[in-house]
Amino acid sequence: MYFPIGWPKYLSLPQQNPSSPVYVVSNRDRSLFAVLTTNSLCLWFCKPCVQILSFRRSENSVAEFGVNQKGEWRPDSSMIAITTSKGYILFYKLELDDSVGNHQCIYVQKDGRQSAPRRSAGDMFSGEGIPALKLTQLSYILVQDGVISLLCIRDELLLTTCTGVLQRIRWDGGSNGRMSVSVGTIPFSTDLQFSRASTVQDTSIVITHIKYSPLLMGFAVVLSSGQAAFLTVTTLKFEPHQIQGVWAQELTNATCVAINHKYRLMAFGCKNAEGVVYSIEETTGSLLVSHHLKISSKDYPDASHVVGAVSGMKWSPDGCALAMAWDQGGFALWSVFGALLYCSLGGDYGLSENAFQHHSLHIQSMEWGAEGYHLWIVSSPTSTLCTSSQKEDDHSSYGDLMQIQLVKSALTVNPCMTNHEHLFLQGEEKLYLNTAQNIWQSSGSVMKSSPPRSVTRQASQCLGFLSGSKQWQVITVPQTYLSGNWPIRYAAVDSSGQCMAVAGKYGLAHYALFNRRWKLFGNETQEKDMVVSGGLTWWRDFICLACYNVVDQRDEIRLYPQTSKLDNAFATVTKVPSQILLLNTFQDVLIILCTDCHVMIFTLNRKNTQPNATVEISKLQEVAVASFIPHPASVAAITLTSLRTETVSSKSRSLPSEAESILMNVSGRLLMFQRDRSAVVSKHKDGKQKPFPFHAPVMVASSVENVWCTPRTNSSKRHLLEALWLSCGAHGMKVWLPLFPRDEVSTHGFMSKRIMLPFRVDIYPLAVLFEDAVILGACNDAVSCDLATSAGSTNIVPHLTLERNSQIYLHHILRQLLRRNLGFHALEIARCCTDLPYFSHCLELLLHEVLDEEATSKEPIPDPLLPRVVAFIQEFPEFLHTIVHCARKTEVALWHYLFSTAGNPRDLFEECMLSGKLDTAASYLIILQNLETPLLSRQYATQLLDASLDHNEWELARDLVRFLKAIDPSEAETPPNVPPLTRATSSVSKYPGGTYCTPPVTPEEGDSNAFVFGPTPVRTRNVSGTPKDAIKTKLKATRSDPASVGKRNSPSKDESSADQFFIDILLARHARKLLTSYRLKDLGCFAANLEGYHLVTWLRKERLRAARVDDFVSALKQIHIDFHWPLPIYSLNGRMGGSGLVSSPLLDPGLLDGLTTSEGLTAGASKDGLSPTRLIGSLSLSDTSDSLSRHTRDVMLQPQISKDDVISQTVTEASDTSSAVGDNVSMDQSTSMEATELDQLSHELANKGPPQSEVQLRYFFQMMMEAECLEWALIISVVLRDSMGIIRTVNTASFTDTQIEIVGRMREGVSYLERWAETECFGYKPFFNAIRSQIQTLNRIVEQNPLRSRLSLSRSRSCSLEKEDLNDTNGQGNYESETIQDEQKVNYPSEIQEEEKTGYDCAIS
């Protein structure tokens, strides 16, 4: 609840002969601090932190009485007593200095709101200015036996001597010898009822440390023997014969003690660097261990051997935090029941050797500041930032007195905030808010009151904490209010997180985020006449608070509207008989707790009166709880709730929930008062029925720090909203969960209606998101910063930062329910949370924790939980994903235990294939690669590769190709080396069908994220990630890891060539499938994502087979669909709609500019995975082999291509004609546009598709021309309505040795396209009219070339090309028989074998 923040403040002591401070102690209201040095006494004011006076003792006084050691304030702050090293007690009187003007103030606040500081008569140091004080020494007394410890009890001082005597001394210096008692005369026992008391026989034992608690009616003491005890008395007189001691059992190394009055706890520090906290058992009076304070190895390894014994302990003013310091340096903050809030060990203090020595804070004394916003620390000189030489040069730059600033949760003093779902912290002058709605606010703009309406509350909140918004809304309280009302005592935020209210010493102020304005009292007198004493909260748009009226001297309940001015004229006031300690609201009901131990319940009714709304407050009920609580100050929180021990069916609850119970946190014990609905109640005079009385309380839980419940209702998540969430410090969290019966009619009478489930958390909870199954907290860390000193050196000063953290708790609840065989209820809760975006992660956490606990257990588990967890996860579609991701994040040695329950990974892989979950199947391939032989892994990878190609999963296909290439053929039959299971269980069954040898293998060091695709598995934990990223990482590790490569036997050239040949056949088969189905865009994505796939080379080989086009109309339609290219619209003026594209270069500069802004890029690139940059960079237009065609060359698209480049890229011989056309077009582009041409341009733009598609189509056109696939080039030119492309294609067919079949199909295809355009798509008619001359050229080519001669020519040429293709596969001529034998060995699919035999026939069909 308390978190250090910012820089530590170092306070120097300006003296002529400085000496190190040794002790610090504050007065009762913590406004003045006395800092003792060895020879002086300095008084400091709290806010602003300035020194008021310094009293220096003379050298003779120091020589006579000794140096200062400890001090103690009188309760009215009028005197200070100081003990010395020679057994003296010096008494100093403190009073106002009348010689100083400004109303006896050395500093006066000037803010324009008051004329002079006002000082109350009861406390002369409680004024608004800094008082001018003077200090005089009154008297001294000598304690012959020496003083060890000093304590103030009302009007007397209690001191312990070196002879073991408890002596009482009055403030006037007189001794009360009759009330003195020796330790040897006090009877000690283990309890106050049954055990026999005995005295301490060793006369050398003395009391070394003592603390007093008025609420506990006794003293907590530490003896010199290391034992600890609690001294209790029966009356307030503390007579010696009434004192009786109770031992703190099993404690023999105690060093110090601190008492928590509110929670009735005693914390003892020990020599082993730990702390032990005891509570008092109410019936017998014995001391029971509540919890231990121990730094875990996760927070700081081996802390007990580094920091030494506990040197001091101090509870915060509200009792919600404990500061603990060690002898060897360092301190920690703990919550009231032992949760670690902060530890100074392990911070970032630089890399120097003496960094820890300089920053470990060897604390001699510490004291909490006002409201716990500061921690004053006196440290030894070895822990300061400056060395001794620096101190001699500049002793005033740093001192041994320092202040640590802290912020605390509003729950510490205002527990009514537990029904909100925001992180809200308060500092001395700032508020820190972190809410989910903050992500909807734009930085620098006015804050809105709510998220957009299109986003629901749950969605916006879920997105809020998922987005990682750890930025705090820091709201500074105006100095106008703080100047006279520091410190902030109470703070509250409304349910929307938009309105905040604070209350300080007097009055209150509130702030609205939506307009960024504070509202203060316009009348300062009204502000000073009210003191908020019992907290404040928001009810709708009203501020509800409990206050004390200074003028009328009475306690009141007030409600101020948020929309009106802050004035008593708009307030609703209700008197109460006694002081209010706590208040809270539940829907339209207000509950308060008074000092007379009475609980009052009021109803609130909003009245929409004009001009300002008002509230009608009516007293509903009053309950006396004096017999159930030891003291009203022991009540930490009170609230109303609709929860009951018996759950109600959903049918019987249609209206909003009523207040059924009172929850009261009494010193950490949660009491529940339920209404007695069986009682007979009377009616009021107005005829209304009186409310039902309450039963005697039942204790729900113990060690409770905070309680969360919500009045909201949601039928879909009743379990989470009707549960009670408890924070229990070191014991973690607990949830009181409702169990709704299956059958509303017949239920088991013995079955409980609610169940308490404990679970551990890694953060300190400050808020609970009920419907999102998330808890929110805060943490801080120390970062170093270089600080230059005046001496010229550089020191490292730690800076403490504050961050928000969160944790999911759903899997903890599911695990506890499954452990108790309540799987039906666990299934109900899980099903209502399936809409959460991290639900699959919850299932993974559930499985991982159970697997890690059971598989690594050293003892056999009679009733394992893993089978129930696996059966539970099988109820959800995330089962396959959860199993494989959990396996990837655990060690390989635990996989056998996991899959013995979850099933054979081969069966799970097949199930993923059947359900189309290819990414999940890729993850299972990693598992199989480590558990199966490489031969089977290759078989499964081939199957997955085929499926990924069919489903257009290009990135996965690329990674699988790399995976297949990385498999060593020489180790195809080698079984994997899997480390043995470390779990000591008698029998672990293998999963069906799996037989694996598990020789002991020493784990290797390496990257925890890498899984090498080979026979040697990596036995390290893995982090979460996508399957495709995992495969990519592993393949990179395989190629780049020389160690793993060196371990393999170098494979033979024949085996590696066979594998490569098989992969090429598989990819070629899929490429044929895409091309024959006219899926040109998928073919481009296929080639772009497969590394080293030469698409142009393959197209050239397939130009007479797969690349032939039999149906030009279907191919053109498919291109329009795949590339989102609209069909042209017929223009009324009869002009060609695409003439402007004739002269456009292959990649126009404007075309590239449109790629980043057009919608086509986003739609096409993200969906199909084919971006222009990826296509340009990945597709290889030519092969590097010199045996390929002389026309093949590398073609890379450039931002702009000149006219000469366009001409040079054309493979036709008629360069003059092409250049002439291009020149004419360039001249047309350079002319200015007229009005009619603008209309034509708009028409052309309407007929064009996305810029990205145009880039891809033009690139495909260039590739088809390179590969001599003129049919496809012709179709693409028609789609683009590019007459220049038609000219290039026809010229290529005319002036090169092109097969007559291709030209014939081109002519026939164009005729079909013309016929289709005349009947179905009139927009293409102008374009076909424009290219009529090129169509006639095709007809002339076919008529002039006899079929027979062209057939013989093409046959011989095709055969020569096929020979080149076969020689290109590693140059092996008689490879067919060896390949077939190898295929039979690896069980290649029969259709692939058939493809290999028939796919490269030279004959033309």
Side-chain angles (χ1 to χ4, degrees):
M1 286 200 178
Y2 280 79
F3 305 97
I5 190 172
W7 305 99
K9 183 185 296 184
Y10 289 83
L11 308 176
S12 58
L13 303 175
Q15 298 177 359
Q16 296 179 354
N17 297 318
S19 58
S20 298
V22 295
Y23 195 77
V24 58
V25 61
S26 68
N27 63 347
R28 187 174 184 178
D29 61 358
R30 303 180 189 272
S31 61
L32 297 176
F33 287 80
V35 179
L36 300 181
T37 66
T38 56
N39 58 357
S40 65
L41 169 62
C42 302
L43 292 184
W44 288 73
F45 195 70
C46 58
K47 185 68 175 182
C49 187
V50 295
Q51 181 174 300
I52 299 178
L53 61 86
S54 176
F55 183 88
R56 179 181 174 84
R57 293 171 53 195
S58 62
E59 296 181 358
N60 295 333
S61 175
V62 173
E64 180 181 358
F65 301 116
V67 297
N68 299 332
Q69 288 186 334
K70 297 180 181 180
E72 193 71 24
W73 285 83
R74 191 170 181 172
D76 59 358
S77 303
S78 61
M79 293 185 66
I80 300 176
I82 298 176
T83 62
T84 64
S85 58
K86 293 186 177 181
Y88 286 90
I89 300 179
L90 308 179
F91 294 94
Y92 294 88
K93 183 180 180 180
L94 189 65
E95 56 185 350
L96 291 173
D97 191 353
D98 297 333
S99 61
V100 178
N102 293 329
H103 305 274
Q104 293 81 40
C105 295
I106 56 176
Y107 301 102
V108 178
Q109 181 71 33
K110 297 293 185 181
D111 60 355
R113 299 189 72 222
Q114 69 263 349
S115 58
R118 185 176 60 177
R119 199 177 306 282
S120 61
D123 193 346
M124 60 180 179
F125 306 122
S126 63
E128 296 167 357
I130 301 177
L133 304 176
K134 61 180 180 180
L135 193 68
T136 57
Q137 183 174 351
L138 287 181
S139 59
Y140 64 89
I141 62 172
L142 173 63
V143 180
Q144 296 292 343
D145 301 330
V147 180
I148 298 179
S149 181
L150 185 66
L151 185 66
C152 178
I153 305 177
R154 294 190 297 274
D155 294 332
E156 291 182 329
L157 287 172
L158 179 67
L159 55 91
T160 61
T161 65
C162 298
T163 58
V165 177
L166 287 172
Q167 189 174 351
R168 296 169 69 171
I169 298 175
R170 294 187 297 270
W171 279 98
D172 58 2
S175 176
N176 192 349
R178 186 177 60 86
M179 302 299 293
S180 300
V181 59
S182 176
V183 176
T185 61
I186 300 175
F188 290 91
S189 60
T190 57
D191 57 62
L192 297 178
Q193 289 187 357
F194 305 105
S195 63
R196 180 176 297 179
S198 61
T199 59
V200 178
Q201 301 299 325
D202 190 353
T203 58
S204 62
I205 295 178
V206 298
I207 298 176
T208 59
H209 207 264
I210 184 171
K211 289 294 180 183
Y212 170 68
S213 173
L215 298 184
L216 296 181
M217 295 291 294
F219 304 88
V221 297
V222 175
L223 304 182
S224 58
S225 61
Q227 294 174 297
F230 179 68
L231 305 181
T232 181
V233 292
T234 57
T235 63
L236 295 177
K237 294 183 179 181
F238 301 106
E239 296 182 358
H241 64 276
Q242 296 178 345
I243 299 178
Q244 185 174 353
V246 179
W247 289 115
Q249 302 181 38
E250 302 179 359
L251 186 61
T252 59
N253 57 350
T255 58
C256 56
V257 64
I259 294 183
N260 191 321
H261 316 286
K262 185 176 184 178
Y263 286 91
R264 304 173 67 82
L265 298 174
M266 287 169 282
F268 294 95
C270 303
K271 295 179 181 179
N272 59 356
E274 298 181 11
V276 184
V277 182
Y278 287 84
S279 62
I280 300 178
E281 209 279 326
E282 298 295 338
T283 56
T284 62
S286 60
L287 298 184
L288 303 179
V289 176
S290 173
H291 55 276
H292 291 263
L293 307 177
K294 181 180 179 180
I295 301 295
S296 63
S297 58
K298 180 183 68 174
D299 298 313
Y300 193 83
D302 204 17
S304 59
H305 296 84
V306 175
V307 296
V310 178
S311 60
M313 309 175 82
K314 284 281 185 177
W315 288 98
S316 61
D318 52 23
C320 293
L322 175 67
M324 183 170 70
W326 293 284
D327 276 339
Q328 300 301 323
F331 79 101
L333 293 179
W334 308 83
S335 69
V336 61
F337 285 106
L340 181 62
L341 301 176
Y342 171 76
C343 180
S344 65
L345 307 176
D348 185 4
Y349 301 118
L351 302 177
S352 61
E353 297 180 357
N354 57 353
F356 179 77
Q357 179 183 3
H358 283 176
H359 300 281
S360 56
L361 293 177
H362 293 71
I363 298 176
Q364 291 181 311
S365 176
M366 57 184 173
E367 184 69 282
W368 287 89
E371 299 296 327
Y373 292 130
H374 298 100
L375 185 63
W376 293 64
I377 291 177
V378 171
S379 58
S380 62
T382 58
S383 65
T384 58
L385 295 178
C386 296
T387 61
S388 58
S389 60
Q390 293 171 355
K391 286 186 179 182
E392 293 176 0
D393 297 337
D394 186 11
H395 61 80
S396 62
S397 58
Y398 296 99
D400 296 326
L401 178 64
M402 60 184 296
Q403 258 188 5
I404 295 180
Q405 302 180 19
L406 300 103
V407 296
K408 63 179 181 179
S409 172
L411 303 176
T412 56
V413 291
N414 205 27
C416 59
M417 293 295 303
T418 54
N419 57 355
H420 296 316
E421 301 178 0
H422 312 299
L423 283 184
F424 188 55
L425 307 178
Q426 61 186 69
E428 61 171 336
E429 55 187 21
K430 293 180 181 179
L431 304 177
Y432 297 80
L433 177 66
N434 184 284
T435 177
Q437 284 78 8
N438 288 347
I439 64 169
W440 301 108
Q441 319 301 339
S442 58
S443 59
S445 61
V446 179
M447 305 291 290
K448 299 180 181 179
S449 60
S450 62
R453 293 186 179 180
S454 60
V455 182
T456 61
R457 186 213 68 83
Q458 181 181 358
S460 64
Q461 186 179 23
C462 182
L463 289 174
F465 73 88
L466 282 181
S467 65
S469 175
K470 296 187 176 183
Q471 298 297 326
W472 295 90
Q473 290 275 351
V474 182
I475 298 99
T476 303
V477 182
Q479 192 63 30
T480 308
Y481 178 76
L482 283 179
S483 60
N485 299 303
W486 186 92
I488 299 174
R489 293 179 176 175
Y490 302 97
V493 63
D494 67 343
S495 58
S496 65
Q498 296 296 315
C499 298
M500 282 148 282
V502 296
K505 190 175 182 180
Y506 298 103
L508 77 152
H510 62 91
Y511 177 80
L513 275 175
F514 50 81
N515 58 12
R516 297 186 179 275
R517 290 183 178 179
W518 281 94
K519 286 188 178 181
L520 281 69
F521 274 98
N523 189 341
E524 187 184 358
T525 304
Q526 294 182 2
E527 179 182 271
K528 299 302 181 183
D529 291 342
M530 178 187 67
V531 178
V532 178
S533 59
L536 75 163
T537 184
W538 286 89
W539 177 77
R540 298 190 182 183
D541 56 342
F542 286 84
I543 306 172
C544 181
L545 55 92
C547 66
Y548 175 73
N549 191 327
V550 179
V551 177
D552 298 335
Q553 296 185 357
R554 67 186 185 191
D555 293 277
E556 299 172 342
I557 299 174
R558 294 188 183 184
L559 286 95
Y560 290 89
Q562 188 271 335
T563 56
S564 304
K565 295 181 179 180
L566 196 54
D567 194 279
N568 292 340
F570 306 106
T572 302
V573 182
T574 299
K575 304 176 184 178
V576 290
S578 58
Q579 181 183 351
I580 302 174
L581 297 179
L582 295 170
L583 88 164
N584 208 337
T585 57
F586 176 82
Q587 294 181 353
D588 296 335
V589 180
L590 172 68
I591 183 172
I592 63 172
L593 173 67
C594 302
T595 54
D596 58 357
C597 295
H598 278 231
V599 174
M600 296 184 183
I601 302 176
F602 299 85
T603 59
L604 305 176
N605 186 17
R606 191 179 189 275
K607 300 292 184 179
N608 294 323
T609 58
Q610 297 297 331
N612 298 297
T614 59
V615 179
E616 180 182 353
I617 305 178
S618 302
K619 184 177 179 180
L620 182 64
Q621 195 172 3
E622 185 173 353
V623 182
V625 295
S627 57
F628 307 114
I629 60 177
H631 193 277
S634 300
V635 180
I638 186 172
T639 183
L640 282 169
T641 179
S642 60
L643 305 182
R644 292 186 295 209
T645 55
E646 295 184 358
T647 56
V648 184
S649 64
S650 58
K651 298 180 181 179
S652 61
R653 180 173 293 181
S654 58
L655 298 176
S657 303
E658 299 179 356
E660 296 289 342
S661 307
I662 299 176
L663 291 176
M664 188 179 297
N665 185 359
V666 182
S667 299
R669 295 177 303 163
L670 186 62
L671 304 182
M672 187 175 189
F673 299 80
Q674 295 187 89
R675 289 194 183 275
D676 184 8
R677 293 193 171 271
S678 63
V680 179
V681 295
S682 58
K683 294 184 179 180
H684 292 285
K685 295 181 180 180
D686 55 359
K688 294 183 180 180
Q689 186 178 1
K690 293 183 178 181
F692 289 98
F694 288 91
H695 283 291
V698 293
M699 190 174 74
V700 178
S702 59
S703 302
V704 177
E705 294 182 3
N706 290 315
V707 181
W708 291 277
C709 60
T710 177
R712 293 201 316 269
T713 57
N714 188 346
S715 59
S716 62
K717 295 186 178 181
R718 293 184 59 199
H719 291 85
L720 301 180
L721 289 179
E722 297 185 20
L724 187 67
W725 307 90
L726 311 175
S727 172
C728 301
H731 305 288
M733 288 192 68
K734 296 179 181 179
V735 54
W736 201 31
L737 198 69
L739 298 180
F740 300 106
R742 302 188 189 183
D743 190 357
E744 301 282 351
V745 180
S746 59
T747 57
H748 296 287
F750 62 85
M751 192 170 183
S752 175
K753 302 301 186 292
R754 284 186 176 271
I755 185 172
M756 185 69 72
L757 301 177
F759 57 92
R760 293 284 179 178
V761 291
D762 298 327
I763 66 175
Y764 186 78
L766 294 176
V768 176
L769 306 183
F770 304 97
E771 296 170 270
D772 299 323
V774 170
I775 55 176
L776 301 179
C779 63
N780 45 21
D781 192 14
V783 295
S784 61
C785 181
D786 295 341
L787 182 65
T789 64
S790 58
S793 61
T794 301
N795 292 303
I796 306 298
V797 178
H799 180 269
L800 300 176
T801 59
L802 183 66
E803 292 184 357
R804 188 217 69 182
N805 51 10
S806 60
Q807 182 176 344
I808 303 172
Y809 61 77
L810 179 61
H811 61 287
H812 293 295
I813 299 178
L814 299 178
R815 179 181 179 182
Q816 294 296 333
L817 290 174
L818 292 174
R819 185 181 297 277
R820 291 162 174 78
N821 293 320
L822 297 174
F824 171 77
H825 301 281
L827 195 60
E828 280 189 335
I829 296 175
R831 283 174 177 170
C832 73
C833 297
T834 53
D835 59 335
L836 298 176
Y838 43 86
F839 176 72
S840 60
H841 181 61
C842 295
L843 297 180
E844 186 180 334
L845 290 175
L846 171 65
L847 180 62
H848 177 78
E849 291 184 359
V850 175
L851 173 65
D852 191 61
E853 178 180 334
E854 294 187 358
T856 58
S857 175
K858 297 182 179 180
E859 300 294 335
I861 301 176
D863 185 19
L865 185 61
L866 185 62
R868 273 174 280 173
V869 172
V870 172
F872 173 78
I873 300 176
Q874 283 179 341
E875 299 292 330
F876 302 95
E878 294 86 358
F879 170 71
L880 298 173
H881 172 85
T882 302
I883 295 297
V884 70
H885 274 245
C886 179
R888 286 176 52 200
K889 296 175 184 178
T890 55
E891 298 180 4
V892 181
L894 309 184
W895 287 2
H896 287 302
Y897 185 76
L898 171 63
F899 290 109
S900 65
T901 304
N904 194 325
R906 290 181 290 180
D907 298 335
L908 300 177
F909 175 84
E910 294 292 342
E911 189 175 349
C912 292
M913 296 295 296
L914 292 176
S915 59
K917 301 177 180 179
L918 301 184
D919 290 343
T920 307
S923 297
Y924 277 104
L925 184 61
I926 302 172
I927 306 298
L928 293 172
Q929 184 259 341
N930 286 274
L931 297 180
E932 304 284 357
T933 60
L935 179 65
L936 292 176
S937 299
R938 180 167 54 186
Q939 179 180 353
Y940 291 128
T942 304
Q943 182 181 356
L944 180 58
L945 175 60
D946 198 18
S948 62
L949 292 174
D950 291 338
H951 290 80
N952 297 345
E953 295 289 342
W954 310 120
E955 293 185 5
L956 179 59
R958 179 186 59 200
D959 296 335
L960 288 171
V961 169
R962 297 177 60 193
F963 169 60
L964 288 171
K965 293 179 180 179
I967 294 179
D968 190 353
S970 64
E971 299 181 355
E973 301 291 344
T974 305
N977 294 328
V978 181
L981 184 65
T982 58
R983 180 178 179 270
T985 179
S986 57
S987 62
V988 178
S989 61
K990 304 284 185 182
Y991 50 80
T995 56
Y996 308 105
C997 57
T998 59
V1001 179
T1002 304
E1004 299 175 353
E1005 296 181 359
D1007 185 8
S1008 61
N1009 297 333
F1011 281 80
V1012 180
F1013 277 89
T1016 305
V1018 179
R1019 291 163 294 277
T1020 55
R1021 294 189 179 271
N1022 193 9
V1023 296
S1024 60
T1026 61
K1028 291 184 284 188
D1029 295 339
I1031 291 182
K1032 188 184 306 180
T1033 305
K1034 297 168 193 52
L1035 288 169
K1036 290 181 179 179
T1038 303
R1039 292 189 173 186
S1040 61
D1041 188 7
S1044 61
V1045 176
K1047 293 179 181 179
R1048 301 178 179 177
N1049 296 325
S1050 59
S1052 64
K1053 184 178 181 181
D1054 295 342
E1055 292 177 342
S1056 61
S1057 300
D1059 293 336
Q1060 181 65 39
F1061 184 68
F1062 165 70
I1063 296 173
D1064 292 341
I1065 291 177
L1066 187 65
L1067 297 178
R1069 186 188 67 172
H1070 188 77
R1072 293 190 195 102
K1073 179 180 178 181
L1074 295 176
L1075 195 56
T1076 53
S1077 60
Y1078 310 138
R1079 294 160 57 186
L1080 195 61
K1081 187 170 186 178
D1082 290 341
L1083 179 64
C1085 296
F1086 165 80
N1089 286 277
L1090 294 178
E1091 298 177 356
Y1093 191 83
H1094 306 293
L1095 183 59
V1096 174
T1097 305
W1098 180 84
L1099 286 172
R1100 183 178 294 108
K1101 292 187 295 184
E1102 296 291 333
R1103 65 185 180 277
L1104 297 178
R1105 294 186 295 244
R1108 60 180 292 173
V1109 181
D1110 296 326
D1111 190 346
F1112 275 60
V1113 176
S1114 299
L1116 184 138
K1117 289 181 179 179
Q1118 190 65 36
I1119 290 178
H1120 276 284
I1121 295 173
D1122 292 345
F1123 288 90
H1124 307 285
W1125 198 270
L1127 292 173
I1129 303 173
Y1130 183 75
S1131 178
L1132 296 178
N1133 55 15
R1135 299 178 60 182
M1136 184 183 67
S1139 61
L1141 297 176
V1142 176
S1143 62
S1144 62
L1146 291 180
L1147 192 60
D1148 191 72
L1151 210 57
L1152 278 179
D1153 297 338
L1155 291 178
T1156 58
T1157 58
S1158 65
E1159 296 179 359
L1161 174 65
T1162 305
S1166 61
K1167 182 178 181 181
D1168 301 317
L1170 180 61
S1171 61
T1173 307
R1174 182 66 175 274
L1175 189 61
I1176 294 170
S1178 299
L1179 288 180
S1180 178
L1181 296 180
S1182 63
D1183 201 344
T1184 57
S1185 176
D1186 295 336
S1187 63
L1188 297 178
S1189 174
R1190 60 185 177 85
H1191 302 295
T1192 303
R1193 65 189 63 184
D1194 292 336
V1195 178
M1196 302 299 294
L1197 294 183
Q1198 303 295 333
Q1200 187 173 3
I1201 302 177
S1202 63
K1203 178 180 64 177
D1204 297 335
D1205 294 335
V1206 175
I1207 298 172
S1208 63
Q1209 289 173 359
T1210 308
V1211 295
T1212 179
E1213 300 290 340
S1215 59
D1216 296 337
T1217 305
S1218 300
S1219 62
V1221 176
D1223 292 338
N1224 294 334
V1225 173
S1226 299
M1227 292 174 62
D1228 293 338
Q1229 284 185 340
S1230 62
T1231 59
S1232 60
M1233 291 186 179
E1234 298 178 356
T1236 56
E1237 293 178 341
L1238 291 177
D1239 296 338
Q1240 179 66 21
L1241 178 60
S1242 62
H1243 179 74
E1244 293 173 359
L1245 293 177
N1247 292 334
K1248 292 178 60 176
Q1252 178 195 12
S1253 298
E1254 184 176 356
V1255 173
Q1256 294 171 353
L1257 285 172
R1258 292 190 177 278
Y1259 194 70
F1260 267 119
F1261 171 79
Q1262 183 66 27
M1263 284 194 297
M1264 294 304 179
M1265 294 296 296
E1266 288 269 344
E1268 301 179 10
C1269 298
L1270 302 183
E1271 300 161 79
W1272 277 108
L1274 180 64
I1275 296 174
I1276 295 174
S1277 299
V1278 173
V1279 172
L1280 293 172
R1281 298 187 299 283
D1282 187 359
S1283 58
M1284 188 63 190
I1286 297 293
I1287 295 174
R1288 287 186 58 189
T1289 306
V1290 174
N1291 288 343
T1292 302
S1294 175
F1295 294 100
T1296 59
D1297 188 12
T1298 305
Q1299 288 82 350
I1300 193 61
E1301 291 87 358
I1302 297 178
V1303 181
R1305 285 194 298 270
M1306 292 171 61
R1307 183 190 65 174
E1308 184 180 3
V1310 171
S1311 64
Y1312 281 117
L1313 289 176
E1314 285 188 280
R1315 190 179 308 171
W1316 170 75
E1318 292 177 356
T1319 57
E1320 297 184 22
C1321 186
F1322 298 100
Y1324 271 117
K1325 291 184 65 177
F1327 178 73
F1328 284 117
N1329 293 332
I1331 63 172
R1332 183 62 57 189
S1333 60
Q1334 304 302 322
I1335 298 176
Q1336 294 175 359
T1337 303
L1338 290 176
N1339 295 332
R1340 186 169 55 253
I1341 295 173
V1342 175
E1343 294 173 356
Q1344 292 177 357
N1345 292 273
L1347 178 60
R1348 209 172 276 177
S1349 61
R1350 303 304 292 261
L1351 274 175
S1352 60
L1353 179 62
S1354 62
R1355 185 185 302 272
S1356 61
R1357 189 171 184 272
S1358 177
C1359 291
S1360 64
L1361 286 175
E1362 297 302 333
K1363 290 180 181 179
E1364 293 177 2
D1365 298 340
L1366 291 176
N1367 294 333
D1368 190 49
T1369 59
N1370 294 327
Q1372 298 186 10
N1374 55 351
Y1375 195 70
E1376 184 175 351
S1377 60
E1378 297 178 4
T1379 305
I1380 295 175
Q1381 294 176 2
D1382 188 66
E1383 288 172 359
Q1384 294 175 354
K1385 184 172 98 173
V1386 298
N1387 298 325
Y1388 289 157
S1390 59
E1391 59 271 14
I1392 299 180
Q1393 300 179 21
E1394 188 67 24
E1395 185 76 34
E1396 180 207 352
K1397 295 177 182 178
T1398 62
Y1400 288 88
D1401 189 5
C1402 293
I1404 299 178
S1405 57

